[in-house]
């Protein structure tokens, strides 16, 4: 519970770095100050008390408008952060798929005539695919992000990066003892089948989600303006 509250507080502090919340804070302080002045002048100077009361009413209206604008800005900021983060991950998955495609056609690649080079590329492909899960799971510890990538992926994509990392750990153990001198394409396809399928499906879901968020972003931009 304490850890959860700490994360919420960090998230709040991140949002309060946005200028719109500073405007809300300034208007709030001015509203309180003018309200106090209106009360102080109520008995000694009714005219000034009325003036301060009218100013207070105007500030309250401004406060409500600024608060609504701040909330929209907060939502826009979070949406943009998610889009940017997903785009980077989308590019990482595309890079993995390029590596995977090249690996599946290793017999046509001159550089893989050397067994050591082939083994190294197999291991590098594994590491690159696993790095995607690491990026997702470790994202929850980045205080600069206004969302928790690990929980976000579990909720939006039903994708548990930690669980998939464990599966990749089993694949890593197989590769560590792999003899590539007589390996076939069929064996490599089967070996990377789960990783490739999971990331292929995830990439499609990410791309569809980015499209949805872009629509939301446009709507928020219009409403903020």
């Amino acid at each position: 519970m304490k850890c959860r509250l700490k994360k919420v507080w960090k998230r709040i502090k991140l949002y309060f770095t946005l200028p719109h919340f500073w405007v809300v804070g300034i208007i709030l302080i001015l509203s309180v100050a003018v309200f106090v002045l209106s009360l102080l002048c109520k008995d000694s100077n009714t005219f000034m008390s009325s003036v301060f009361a009218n100013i207070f009413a105007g500030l309250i209206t401004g406060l409500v408008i600024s608060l609504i604008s701040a909330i929209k800005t907060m939502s826009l900021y979070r949406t943009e952060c998610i889009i940017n983060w997903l785009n980077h991950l989308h590019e990482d998955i595309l890079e993995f798929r390029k590596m995977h495609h090249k690996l599946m056609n290793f017999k046509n690649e001159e550089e893989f005539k050397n067994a050591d080079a082939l083994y190294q590329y197999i291991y590098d492909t594994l590491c690159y695919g696993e790095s995607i899960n690491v990026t997702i799971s470790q994202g929850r510890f980045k205080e600069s992000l206004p969302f928790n990538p690990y929980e976000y992926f579990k909720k939006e994509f039903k994708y548990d990066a930690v669980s998939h990392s464990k599966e990749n750990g089993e694949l890593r153990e197989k590769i560590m003892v792999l003899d590539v001198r007589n390996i076939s394409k069929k064996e490599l396809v089967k070996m990377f089948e789960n990783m490739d399928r999971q990331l292929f499906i995830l990439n499609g879901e990410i791309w569809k989600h980015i499209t949805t968020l872009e629509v939301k972003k446009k709507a928020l931009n219009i409403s903020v303006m």
Side-chain angles (χ1 to χ4, degrees):
M1 183 66 180
K2 185 178 179 182
C3 183
R4 190 175 184 84
L5 288 173
K6 189 176 180 181
K7 288 181 179 179
V8 171
W9 174 241
K10 286 180 179 178
R11 198 71 52 80
I12 291 172
K13 286 197 296 183
L14 179 62
Y15 284 129
F16 268 86
T17 59
L18 299 174
H20 287 73
F21 281 97
W22 284 98
V23 173
V24 170
I26 292 170
I27 295 175
L28 181 61
I29 292 170
L30 288 173
S31 299
V32 172
V34 170
F35 179 72
V36 171
L37 288 173
S38 178
L39 289 178
L40 292 174
C41 296
K42 186 176 181 181
D43 295 326
S44 59
N45 192 330
T46 55
F47 173 74
M48 288 303 298
S49 177
S50 176
V51 170
F52 285 130
N54 289 332
I55 294 173
F56 173 73
L59 287 171
I60 289 298
T61 302
L63 180 63
V64 172
I65 294 171
S66 296
L67 188 58
I68 293 172
S69 177
I71 292 171
K72 288 180 178 179
T73 301
M74 180 177 70
S75 181
L76 177 61
Y77 172 70
R78 184 175 186 274
T79 301
E80 287 178 336
C81 285
I82 294 173
I83 290 172
N84 291 335
W85 199 87
L86 289 178
N87 272 323
H88 286 305
L89 198 69
H90 168 66
E91 291 172 3
D92 287 343
I93 296 176
L94 288 181
E95 185 59 34
F96 163 77
R97 303 220 70 231
K98 286 180 184 177
M99 294 179 70
H100 179 267
H101 178 75
K102 183 177 179 179
L103 181 60
M104 294 304 110
N105 293 280
F106 73 96
K107 290 187 179 295
N108 299 324
E109 299 288 340
E110 189 63 33
E111 65 181 287
F112 296 146
K113 300 301 181 183
N114 181 288
D116 290 338
L118 175 59
Y119 179 84
Q120 186 60 51
Y121 196 81
I122 291 172
Y123 190 78
D124 288 346
T125 303
L126 164 71
C127 291
Y128 204 96
E130 171 55 18
S131 70
I132 293 164
N133 289 316
V134 173
T135 299
I136 296 169
S137 60
Q138 292 298 312
R140 56 187 153 171
F141 303 115
K142 288 192 175 182
E143 296 181 8
S144 59
L145 293 175
F147 72 107
N148 183 325
Y150 175 65
E151 294 298 334
Y152 191 85
F153 269 66
K154 285 180 68 176
K155 180 182 177 182
E156 296 294 335
F157 308 119
K158 304 296 184 291
Y159 187 90
D160 190 334
V162 173
S163 176
H164 289 307
S165 284
K166 290 178 181 178
E167 294 174 13
N168 292 339
E170 295 173 6
L171 175 58
R172 182 178 180 277
E173 290 178 7
K174 292 179 182 178
I175 291 175
M176 291 295 289
V177 295
L178 184 66
D179 183 359
V180 300
R181 286 172 294 183
N182 297 307
I183 196 167
S184 67
K185 177 180 178 179
K186 185 177 180 180
E187 289 175 291
L188 278 179
V189 169
K190 186 172 179 59
M191 191 174 292
F192 280 91
E193 185 177 16
N194 286 336
M195 177 183 280
D196 182 53
R197 184 179 67 253
Q198 289 161 3
L199 293 179
F200 175 77
I201 293 171
L202 179 63
N203 199 43
E205 293 297 319
I206 287 173
W207 187 246
K208 286 191 292 184
H209 197 63
I210 289 173
T211 303
T212 301
L213 290 176
E214 287 288 358
V215 173
K216 179 181 178 181
K217 178 183 171 181
K218 287 180 181 178
L220 286 170
N221 270 320
I222 294 171
S223 61
V224 170
M225 290 169 63

